[in-house]
Amino acid sequence: MLVGVLRPLLAACGLVMLRVASAVHFNYNNGFYYQEVGDGNSNGEIYFNGVRLLVESPQSSVSATRGGSAILPCHFHYEPELNAPRRTRVKWSWAPAAAARPAPAETEVMVAVGDRHRSYGGYRGRVRLRRSAPGDMSLVIDELRLNDAGRYRCEVIDGLEDESVTVELEMRGVVFPYHSDKGRYHFNFLAAQRACREQDATLATFDQLFAAWEEGLDWCNAGWLADGTAQYPITAPRAGCGGTDLAPGVRSYGPRHPLLHRFDAFCFSASVKGSVYFLQHPTKLNFTEAARACSEDSGAVAKVGQLYAAWRLAGLDRCDAGWLADGSVRYPIVKARANCGPPEPGVRTFGFPPRHQKFGVYCYR
Ligand SMILES: *[C@@H]1O[C@H](CO)[C@@H](O)[C@H](O)[C@H]1NC(C)=O
């Protein structure tokens, strides 16, 4: 349970610290207590004595699915309870979850005053406050996007003071290493961003790569992450991958120059609305034939991010190599078995073979 507490209000718009409290007993010691003094007449005159504002969230993180909805809980109330409603403002903002340094600026998601609210940027039309009870300022986000993941701050503003809690939004998904068809270490930061996007994914955050490492991802090629660092996850330390003296972990080159330095990419993909399937076809296909065959099946050749999501989140398991949209050939294995690659589950890759060679194809529809 996260709790914020309103500290004393200084004079503003009818809110005045009561400096001399001859007739009123109240306690300043913990700094929470304040009095609000109206204009001294009966209209709107409110005295608060020993009132605190508490902002709380019962959940510090929420996990959600792309395309779905998420509710980020946030409630406020006053102690003791007030009988006259107060004009509070609520602001939700977003920042990347990774502990990036310097701390990234927060961007506004929504601001609400009374019944009125306004949302910003890519959140416009997709966010609202739940308001299931008085003080319920939980944020509802619909049509979740991959890059909605991050740290959301719910800030309740009363007069000049504000209190807030943060709630992490995690997207369920899968991290995969990706390199260019031109070879290893070919992407600068911008090219890596573009490459992930073209595979229906985004650059992974550090938290996402770390979670993938915890689940066993071991990859000895450094890739860009969303925060502009280049890192790689090692579960079995060995020479050439940071050496055997280093404990298992995510190895980091730290922040790198976004244009001059080149690495691979770690992309993050989440569940897709449609389905990914191995196309039933009487013959094997070259790349152009594969594209035509998927479109004749009312689909398109699947992207790498879609294949990984189908493997990881929908259990797609198929021991047949197939073309993907970027010209790579891969197949997804959930239950490792003889003649289907190494003894662990994974998406097997044949790299980028010449496009006249013949394989099956994975379509997306
Ligand atoms: C694939 O085969 C077709 C004939 O079916 C041919 O016209 C096309 O050029 C081939 N594509 C590639 C990339 O080799």
Side-chain angles (χ1 to χ4, degrees), residues 286-289 292 355-358:
N286 69 25
F287 185 69
T288 26
E289 292 163 341
R292 190 170 328 117
R355 296 193 172 191
H356 62 80
Q357 286 187 11
K358 303 218 167 193

Side-chain angles (χ1 to χ4, degrees), residues 5-8 26-34 50-52 79 163:
V5 174
L6 189 74
R7 287 175 299 275
F26 65 118
N27 186 350
Y28 259 108
N29 289 346
N30 56 12
F32 297 153
Y33 289 59
Y34 70 96
V51 173
R52 328 193 272 167
E79 278 180 7
E163 281 307 329

Side-chain angles (χ1 to χ4, degrees), residues 60-312:
S60 60
S61 82
V62 169
S63 133
T65 306
R66 172 156 65 167
S69 298
I71 299 170
L72 308 181
C74 174
H75 305 262
F76 76 89
H77 68 277
Y78 294 91
E79 278 180 7
E81 241 173 74
L82 305 179
N83 33 32
R86 289 177 54 81
R87 192 175 167 79
T88 42
R89 215 154 64 83
V90 174
K91 182 172 116 180
W92 277 95
S93 49
W94 173 93
R101 256 157 248 227
E106 293 188 340
T107 59
E108 285 191 341
V109 172
M110 153 179 286
V111 171
V113 183
D115 292 338
R116 300 160 61 92
H117 71 258
R118 182 173 177 160
S119 51
Y120 298 92
Y123 291 100
R124 218 168 281 153
R126 293 196 296 135
V127 288
R128 64 197 154 83
L129 295 180
R130 181 168 62 175
R131 297 190 193 277
S132 66
D136 179 10
M137 296 296 149
S138 303
L139 183 70
V140 182
I141 313 178
D142 295 319
E143 295 160 49
L144 282 166
R145 300 173 186 174
L146 280 180
N147 55 11
D148 287 340
R151 180 172 295 135
Y152 288 77
R153 177 180 301 280
C154 171
E155 194 174 3
V156 179
I157 301 145
D158 179 321
L160 280 188
E161 277 298 331
D162 61 275
E163 281 307 329
S164 66
V165 287
T166 58
V167 183
E168 300 264 348
L169 177 63
E170 297 168 356
M171 301 295 286
R172 276 189 285 269
V174 54
V175 170
F176 61 94
Y178 191 74
H179 71 86
S180 164
D181 59 357
K182 297 183 183 69
R184 290 267 175 219
Y185 287 7
H186 207 85
F187 297 139
N188 66 24
F189 181 65
L190 296 178
Q193 275 183 322
R194 196 178 325 120
C196 290
R197 209 159 47 230
E198 285 169 1
Q199 300 316 314
D200 200 21
T202 57
L203 274 179
T205 63
F206 174 77
D207 290 351
Q208 288 163 347
L209 183 66
F210 188 83
W213 169 77
E214 285 182 315
E215 288 165 15
L217 183 65
D218 184 286
W219 197 255
C220 196
N221 292 98
W224 289 104
L225 295 182
D227 61 3
T229 60
Q231 314 202 23
Y232 62 100
I234 293 297
T235 51
R238 54 198 182 274
C241 307
T244 47
D245 294 342
L246 278 177
V250 177
R251 319 265 197 247
S252 178
Y253 288 99
R256 311 268 55 185
H257 193 287
L259 299 175
L260 299 180
H261 292 141
R262 290 173 185 270
F263 297 96
D264 294 341
F266 285 103
C267 305
F268 177 78
S269 170
S271 55
V272 288
K273 271 220 180 83
S275 66
V276 174
Y277 57 98
F278 185 80
L279 184 69
Q280 298 300 333
H281 197 271
T283 59
K284 295 203 167 170
L285 308 157
N286 69 25
F287 185 69
T288 26
E289 292 163 341
R292 190 170 328 117
C294 283
S295 88
E296 279 167 3
D297 206 40
S298 314
V301 181
K303 298 175 173 180
V304 177
Q306 294 167 340
L307 183 70
Y308 267 92
W311 163 70
R312 191 55 196 265

Side-chain angles (χ1 to χ4, degrees), residues 11-27:
C13 317
L15 291 169
V16 180
M17 287 298 297
L18 198 70
R19 286 158 219 276
V20 183
S22 51
V24 192
H25 294 103
F26 65 118
N27 186 350

